[in-house]
Amino acid sequence: MYSIKQVVEMLDIPSVTLRAWENRYQAVTPERTESGYRLYSQENIEDLRWLKEQTEKQGISISHAVRLLRARKEKPIEDLHAGAGGTPQEAFEKMKQQIYTALLEFQGERANALIDFGFSMYGYEAMFHQVLVPVLVKVGDAWEEGTATVAQEHYMTHMVSNRFYQFFHVFPVHAHLPKVLAFCPEGEHHQVGLLLFSLFLRKNGAEVIYLGANTPEEGVMAMLENQNRIGAICLSLTCKDLLPYCEGLIKRLSVACPGVRFILGGNGFEGAEFSSTEAVAIINEPAERWQDRFDYLFTGIKSRP
């Protein structure tokens, strides 16, 4: 057992922070001596060390870190690692199926517990790319095939998307980078790729104004009148029938935001051609190449005065 002074010295966590974590978030529950002094077990020490790593290195809030810790300790996916020697891909597949089933049955609490557990085990990037995005794709396919109702599709998409949105507020914004406007044009309802790329931009310090799917043009134009630091506009398109409209939209946005750079993604832009005078970059690389593109593109993008 360790005193609070020993814990402070061991973990380099100020005593005031330690008490706040205990009182406000019930991060750990130390034992007490007859005189009321705290005594921390080795398990308490390991939990606090893990929480510190999540808040300092992963950049998540202490309240979120405590939820992850509880999910990790409760292990809601009892059979996740069933069978020695299972591959990570097999574990991801099991988790994806369990989350999908829970959402399909409107079991929101269980789905969130499973997702929290996944974050604690694999980190947010692996969870997003290996589990949550495939869940959203599976939901969309089920709706198109008629095996999921509209209510189920809306509920499942909303629940998973909310987990994406939570991370928008985790990463710091770098003032020297321009603001980025991200949306899908009117008529385009698939936003998973845009959501992932926007989260990637936030991780790199770019402030992202995320408008989401099926965004009317007049609303975008009205918003641009009041925004003066937008240096890049991200557009996502999967429906190729909308390409002619998007080409015209890009020209109109170029007039509304002189000097802005466009970053385009999605199968709908395959084969699109733009004049050499238009500042357009089409992102068609896998996610692991996004960092190289970001470093190249954002070095030359300036904030609008």
Side-chain angles (χ1 to χ4, degrees):
M1 306 297 288
Y2 302 88
S3 68
I4 190 170
K5 181 179 179 181
Q6 290 173 308
V7 174
V8 167
E9 294 175 351
M10 190 184 310
L11 301 181
D12 192 26
I13 300 176
S15 59
V16 63
T17 300
L18 198 54
R19 292 189 179 95
W21 285 7
E22 294 171 20
N23 297 332
R24 297 179 189 174
Y25 307 105
Q26 292 75 53
V28 295
T29 305
E31 296 184 19
R32 297 272 185 168
T33 66
E34 293 182 0
S35 304
Y37 292 105
R38 290 172 169 84
L39 287 177
Y40 297 84
S41 66
Q42 186 61 45
E43 183 179 0
N44 294 152
I45 298 297
E46 295 305 318
D47 288 347
L48 289 168
R49 180 178 286 113
W50 188 87
L51 289 170
K52 180 184 179 184
E53 180 177 349
Q54 301 308 303
T55 57
E56 292 184 357
K57 295 184 179 180
Q58 302 298 330
I60 66 178
S61 67
I62 182 59
S63 59
H64 189 188
V66 170
R67 289 201 307 272
L68 294 180
L69 178 63
R70 289 173 182 165
R72 179 176 177 167
K73 294 170 79 69
E74 291 169 4
K75 298 188 183 301
I77 313 174
E78 294 85 359
D79 63 339
L80 180 62
H81 298 293
T87 66
Q89 195 56 47
E90 290 173 338
F92 288 140
E93 187 62 32
K94 288 181 181 179
M95 182 176 291
K96 180 184 75 173
Q97 187 56 49
Q98 291 193 30
I99 292 172
Y100 177 82
T101 301
L103 290 172
L104 192 67
E105 298 173 354
F106 298 101
Q107 297 179 8
E109 289 299 317
R110 173 165 173 77
N112 277 323
L114 290 165
I115 293 170
D116 283 341
F117 180 77
F119 282 141
S120 71
M121 288 291 294
Y122 303 110
Y124 82 92
E125 287 189 278
M127 272 297 291
F128 284 144
H129 289 283
Q130 301 293 332
V131 178
L132 295 184
V133 168
V135 165
L136 285 178
V137 172
K138 187 177 176 68
V139 171
D141 290 344
W143 174 73
E144 291 182 355
E145 295 166 0
T147 56
T149 65
V150 172
Q152 286 174 316
E153 189 272 336
H154 283 188
Y155 175 78
M156 297 166 81
T157 300
H158 175 74
M159 288 287 290
V160 176
S161 296
N162 274 348
R163 303 310 298 258
F164 283 80
Y165 298 142
Q166 288 175 358
F167 280 84
F168 268 64
H169 307 290
V170 169
F171 305 109
V173 171
H174 300 322
H176 69 280
L177 292 175
K179 282 185 181 180
V180 179
L181 176 64
F183 68 95
C184 297
E186 191 167 7
E188 175 60 68
H189 297 273
H190 298 282
Q191 60 176 323
V192 176
L194 181 71
L195 197 53
L196 271 177
F197 191 70
S198 297
L199 186 62
F200 163 78
L201 293 178
R202 282 293 289 112
K203 180 188 174 186
N204 278 271
E207 182 178 354
V208 180
I209 301 173
Y210 186 83
L211 303 182
N214 192 30
T215 305
E217 180 177 340
E218 58 268 24
V220 175
M221 292 299 186
M223 190 213 68
L224 289 175
E225 293 178 0
N226 300 313
Q227 294 291 329
N228 59 6
R229 284 192 57 245
I230 292 178
I233 295 178
C234 288
L235 278 170
S236 179
L237 186 67
T238 62
C239 178
K240 293 187 177 182
D241 291 342
L242 293 174
L243 180 57
Y245 165 72
C246 282
E247 291 173 333
L249 174 62
I250 289 171
K251 293 182 182 299
R252 293 187 291 275
L253 290 172
S254 297
V255 174
C257 288
V260 73
R261 176 181 287 273
F262 293 90
I263 302 175
L264 313 179
N267 294 334
F269 285 114
E270 287 184 1
E273 296 182 2
F274 297 91
S275 68
S276 58
T277 59
E278 294 171 313
V280 172
I282 298 180
I283 301 293
N284 53 14
E285 299 95 341
E288 54 266 25
R289 295 287 306 279
W290 286 355
Q291 190 63 53
D292 293 337
R293 293 284 276 178
F294 176 88
D295 295 339
Y296 173 76
L297 290 172
F298 276 71
T299 299
I301 298 180
K302 304 298 182 182
S303 298
R304 293 173 63 230

